[in-house]
Amino acid sequence: MEVIRLTFVVSVVALAISSVLGIPVGSWMGLRRFRGRGLLRTLIYTGMGLPPVVVGLAVYLTLSRQGPMGDLEWLFTPAGMVAAQVIIAFPIVAGLTSAALEGLDPEFPLQVRSLGANARQEAAAMLRQARGGVIAALLAAFGGIISEVGAAMLVGGNIEGKTRVLSTAIVLETRRGEFATALALGGVLLVLAFVVNAGLLRLQVTPRHPS
Amino acid sequence: MSQPPAFQIDGLRRGYGGGWRLDLPELEVGRAEFLAILGPTGAGKSTLLRLLHFLDAPEAGRVDYEGKPIPFPAPLEIRRSIGMIFQRPLMVSGSVRDNVAFGLRVRGQHDPRRVDDLLTRFDLMHLARREARLVSGGEMQRLALARALASRPHVLLLDEPAASLDPGHAAVVEGIIRDTHREDGTTIVLATHNLGQARRLAQRVGVLVGGRLIEIGETRDVFDRPRNALTAAYLRGDLLTEEASPP
């Protein structure tokens, strides 16, 4: 049970942090023209394809006792796992949010402004307009986080009752030859992913009023 | 002392691909005036409307609004006193009612009676709860006008406001535009290809060809006694494209 709870908490906290950082950065990149935008976009898109195990290794080295952030003592803790997951998920949220906004009609912001929107209201209207794409960004990020095993294993250490999550538990049970348990955990992982995705998809269809 | 005009244009220029898409040495639009701008496709009508709405910056010259020079980007209150119907209206996500209420909401106003009244006048009440992006082109055009009128703008800029309407609804929309001008004293600038509409509604008519205003005058004078040969050709239907350049 602790495994399920921890999986849920780590994934949802990581998704929340990635959204809080990624949606504004993606909006900025998608809506504004500024110097270095092309470079930023290339970096973010590269980040979308980062191998989790490489992220895990980098975070491991950063958080290890000799590493630059060793004082935090986050290695082999859920906080360290969240940090790694955020690095994996943030570029996905930012990149796909930006792409969703760029897909809107180029005249749309002008028409929203014409209706009297200020800059903040305009950005909000555009995000609402691109809501389907933004929710898809969150779904993709969540999928990446919850199924991820490399970084969770390296940074978390798969410590029972402390940092063991469903994906790392499945690896462990499979290695032990406990295939039935591994399969059962896989089923639980699927159900958990289904529940969170269903929740996110509800946001996609719920009509929202302009503010 | 008389009121300053709604718009006073001085040496206004906006470029496009090397040439001037719009080049207006001067133009004045009086308070509560109804001015129609005629001209072939690509003549610069939409460009002019965007400049008058302060959504776009001129490359040269200036537009004074109600007697004051306006910087770019224009202050929010200035933009909010002007409403515009775009040629291809885009709906914000939400219902038809949400769209009509949008301008009021962004101003922090809540006036469901005003929204209901507009939905009724524009024959949109039966669609109020429908997702706005899914209604037909004609319905969208009526919705766009209802949405722009909700906040009672001082100035209304109309870019082909009846292009996708059936004759019945076109007449309804024309009636509402006429009432808005007469009863509310709204200044209206109408860009259109529809000569009949301009003739029925406008007090003055300007003819824009190749980014230049080749003629402007009282509606009846321009239609009955055009002074410019290009105006006469345009009114006859002999001037088709944006390639027509001013004399």
Side-chain angles (χ1 to χ4, degrees), chain A residues 110-154:
Chain A
L110 211 61
Q111 298 205 11
V112 170
R113 231 172 296 154
S114 161
L115 289 168
N118 60 28
R120 190 187 58 77
Q121 291 164 331
E122 180 190 329
M126 292 191 69
L127 275 174
R128 237 185 335 264
Q129 202 79 355
R131 189 174 62 221
V134 176
I135 300 290
L138 300 185
L139 292 172
F142 185 73
I145 292 170
I146 199 167
S147 62
E148 190 282 317
V149 67
M153 195 72 113
L154 279 175

Side-chain angles (χ1 to χ4, degrees), chain A residues 25-168:
Chain A
V25 170
S27 306
W28 186 53
M29 208 163 70
L31 301 177
R32 301 274 175 259
R33 299 290 171 266
F34 50 89
R35 264 174 78 105
R37 176 169 173 268
L39 178 66
L40 178 66
R41 190 147 64 156
T42 309
L43 287 173
I44 296 270
Y45 283 0
T46 307
M48 287 171 73
L50 278 182
V53 70
V54 175
V55 174
L57 179 62
V59 173
Y60 181 95
L61 293 174
T62 309
L63 294 179
S64 66
R65 195 153 292 175
Q66 292 81 21
M69 293 173 81
D71 293 347
L72 287 175
E73 298 190 341
W74 275 9
L75 197 59
F76 307 132
T77 67
M81 295 166 79
V82 167
Q85 309 284 34
V86 167
I87 294 173
I88 293 164
F90 161 77
I92 300 176
V93 175
L96 294 183
T97 296
S98 156
L101 288 168
E102 284 168 44
L104 294 179
D105 193 300
E107 213 182 62
F108 183 76
L110 211 61
Q111 298 205 11
V112 170
R113 231 172 296 154
S114 161
L115 289 168
N118 60 28
R120 190 187 58 77
Q121 291 164 331
E122 180 190 329
M126 292 191 69
L127 275 174
R128 237 185 335 264
Q129 202 79 355
R131 189 174 62 221
V134 176
I135 300 290
L138 300 185
L139 292 172
F142 185 73
I145 292 170
I146 199 167
S147 62
E148 190 282 317
V149 67
M153 195 72 113
L154 279 175
V155 179
N158 199 18
I159 303 164
E160 190 174 2
K162 198 178 163 209
T163 59
R164 181 164 301 163
V165 289
L166 282 165
S167 59
T168 57

Side-chain angles (χ1 to χ4, degrees), chain B residues 39-116:
Chain B
T41 304
K45 302 189 295 293
S46 302
T47 306
L48 172 62
L49 294 190
R50 282 173 195 205
L51 289 167
L52 293 179
H53 200 345
F54 305 104
L55 291 174
D56 227 348
E59 265 133 345
R62 58 190 253 185
V63 179
D64 286 5
Y65 177 63
E66 296 181 347
K68 294 186 200 77
I70 305 298
F72 190 86
L76 189 59
E77 318 82 76
I78 300 291
R79 276 201 290 112
R80 282 185 172 173
S81 69
I82 301 171
M84 177 159 169
I85 311 300
F86 289 75
Q87 206 166 12
R88 197 169 47 87
L90 301 170
M91 298 298 121
V92 298
S93 80
S95 67
V96 166
R97 179 185 294 278
D98 291 337
N99 269 271
V100 175
F102 187 91
L104 293 169
R105 280 179 205 257
V106 297
R107 288 163 174 81
Q109 297 163 8
H110 181 64
D111 190 351
R113 281 183 56 191
R114 173 82 177 148
V115 174
D116 279 349

Side-chain angles (χ1 to χ4, degrees), chain B residues 39-41 207-209 214 229-245:
Chain B
T41 304
V207 182
L208 200 60
V209 177
I214 58 166
L230 270 179
T231 304
Y234 174 71
L235 295 175
R236 277 200 312 274
D238 290 345
L239 192 63
L240 290 176
T241 68
E242 58 268 43
E243 280 140 39
S245 52

